[in-house]
Amino acid sequence: MAKEKQKRQQLKKKLLHKYRLVILNEDTFEERISFKLTRLNVFVLVAFSAIMLIVLTTFLIAFTSLREYIPGYSSTALKQQAIDLYEKIDSLEQVAQRDSIYLNSIRNVLTGELKSESINKDSLFKSFELDPDQVDLSPNKQDSLLREEVAQEDKYNLFETATAKVNFKLFPPVKGAITQKYNPKEKHFAVDVVAPKDTPIKATADGMVIFAEWTAQTGYVIIIEHSNNLISVYKHNASLTKQQGDLVRVGEVIASIGNTGELTTGPHLHFELWSEGYSIDPESFIDFTL
């Protein structure tokens, strides 16, 4: 015990033993600065300086942009840009998928394979938001009664129902004799109007050209989207005067009568009308007679 106590006293004496740190002028040996120090003071000062250095370094790394220069740390701006780009890519993928479905529907219109079913772009978009497996599609009693009542009324106002879908006047794209009428049972969703070759074909209403290309079966085809979800289709043209994306006014020349494509039998216009995705008889709204 005495030895341990003696050792502790010696250690305490060493720690508290005073030293003088003197800074001299090397040439004149003049004393410039002097400090009274102990080993304990030096230890405390070094430990405090080390702690302060660690705290300061941590603060600079955590709260300043210097951390971006340390390997492994990424810039906050780069993270935000990555998030923004990911959201844009996700949105573009959805738009591309929706447009692909819409263009497939337009392609079916061109080839004549589309039945009388909706191809409304807005309704197609809603299909991405609804899961059919989670929706109860069975009609209730009230819905069945309403459907029966509406069906009875529609038996006597077919023309009024069609007129409601196209509630503005349409301009005849060309005047001439109709060689084949609208017949959806035979998948002929158009009227064929005969006219001399190169006769100007005019837009039936104001709208925007959404398709203007050559197809193997129907030759030069132009499709115009109008207001009220109305689409007009002009096939077998000799030439087109408008391009996709062009805005056209009612009565403006968009093409000329031709005999192009594999399914043509002579110079004529194959004219279709689609309202809200359903094919309609053009003769119900347009007078093609000379």
Side-chain angles (χ1 to χ4, degrees):
M1 292 293 295
K3 289 183 178 180
E4 292 180 2
K5 185 177 181 180
Q6 185 177 2
K7 287 181 179 180
R8 285 198 299 269
Q9 289 178 351
Q10 290 178 353
L11 179 60
K12 183 179 179 181
K13 185 177 180 180
K14 287 181 179 180
L15 291 175
L16 298 178
H17 186 75
K18 294 182 179 181
Y19 297 89
R20 179 180 292 274
L21 177 62
V22 180
I23 299 177
L24 301 176
N25 189 326
E26 187 177 359
D27 297 329
T28 62
F29 295 99
E30 178 184 1
E31 182 179 333
R32 307 294 297 178
I33 303 174
S34 63
F35 300 95
K36 290 182 179 181
L37 300 173
T38 63
R39 292 180 179 178
L40 181 60
N41 291 340
V42 173
F43 176 77
V44 171
L45 181 62
V46 171
F48 180 77
S49 300
I51 293 173
M52 291 300 298
L53 181 61
I54 293 173
V55 171
L56 181 61
T57 303
T58 304
F59 178 82
L60 291 175
I61 293 175
F63 300 102
T64 66
S65 59
L66 291 177
R67 67 177 180 274
E68 298 177 7
Y69 297 96
I70 299 176
Y73 284 89
S74 60
S75 171
T76 304
L78 290 177
K79 287 184 178 180
Q80 187 60 43
Q81 290 179 3
I83 294 174
D84 294 340
L85 289 175
Y86 177 79
E87 293 177 350
K88 290 180 180 179
I89 290 173
D90 183 65
S91 300
L92 290 174
E93 288 179 349
Q94 293 182 5
V95 171
Q97 188 177 8
R98 294 171 179 177
D99 288 345
S100 176
I101 296 176
Y102 185 61
L103 290 175
N104 286 335
S105 300
I106 295 297
R107 189 177 297 110
N108 291 334
V109 173
L110 296 176
T111 58
E113 298 176 356
L114 188 65
K115 297 180 180 179
S116 297
E117 57 186 7
S118 176
I119 58 168
N120 189 348
K121 192 171 184 180
D122 293 335
S123 64
L124 291 174
F125 288 177
K126 292 181 181 178
S127 63
F128 292 91
E129 303 173 0
L130 297 177
D131 185 0
D133 297 333
Q134 299 179 358
V135 179
D136 184 12
L137 300 179
S138 58
N140 54 30
K141 183 178 179 180
Q142 292 79 3
D143 182 67
S144 300
L145 293 175
L146 178 61
R147 288 174 181 267
E148 184 177 356
E149 181 181 352
V150 173
Q152 292 295 330
E153 294 178 355
D154 287 345
K155 287 183 180 180
Y156 307 101
N157 60 357
L158 295 177
F159 184 78
E160 288 76 3
T161 302
T163 306
K165 293 183 177 180
V166 184
N167 55 5
F168 57 91
K169 294 183 179 180
L170 299 178
F171 187 85
V174 69
K175 294 281 189 175
I178 297 179
T179 57
Q180 189 171 0
K181 294 182 175 294
Y182 174 81
N183 190 350
K185 293 182 179 180
E186 297 182 0
K187 293 186 177 181
H188 189 259
F189 304 105
V191 293
D192 291 341
V193 185
V194 175
K197 191 176 183 302
D198 295 329
T199 300
I201 299 175
K202 302 175 182 179
T204 191
D206 296 342
M208 183 178 71
V209 178
I210 59 175
F211 184 88
E213 296 290 344
W214 164 271
T215 63
Q217 294 184 340
T218 55
Y220 285 107
V221 179
I222 184 168
I223 301 177
I224 302 177
E225 184 176 17
H226 312 282
S227 58
N228 301 335
N229 293 321
L230 179 70
I231 292 178
S232 58
V233 184
Y234 313 75
K235 297 181 179 180
H236 302 302
N237 303 295
S239 62
L240 305 177
T241 61
K242 298 294 180 181
Q243 299 178 349
Q244 182 175 345
D246 289 347
L247 296 176
V248 296
R249 301 299 300 270
V250 58
E252 186 175 359
V253 176
I254 58 174
S256 60
I257 290 289
N259 187 31
T260 59
E262 299 174 357
L263 302 180
T264 183
T265 57
H268 74 285
L269 169 63
H270 179 98
F271 179 71
E272 302 177 12
L273 277 181
W274 297 80
S275 177
E276 296 182 354
Y278 293 91
S279 64
I280 57 178
D281 185 0
E283 286 190 273
S284 298
F285 311 98
I286 302 175
D287 183 10
F288 294 93
T289 59
L290 293 171

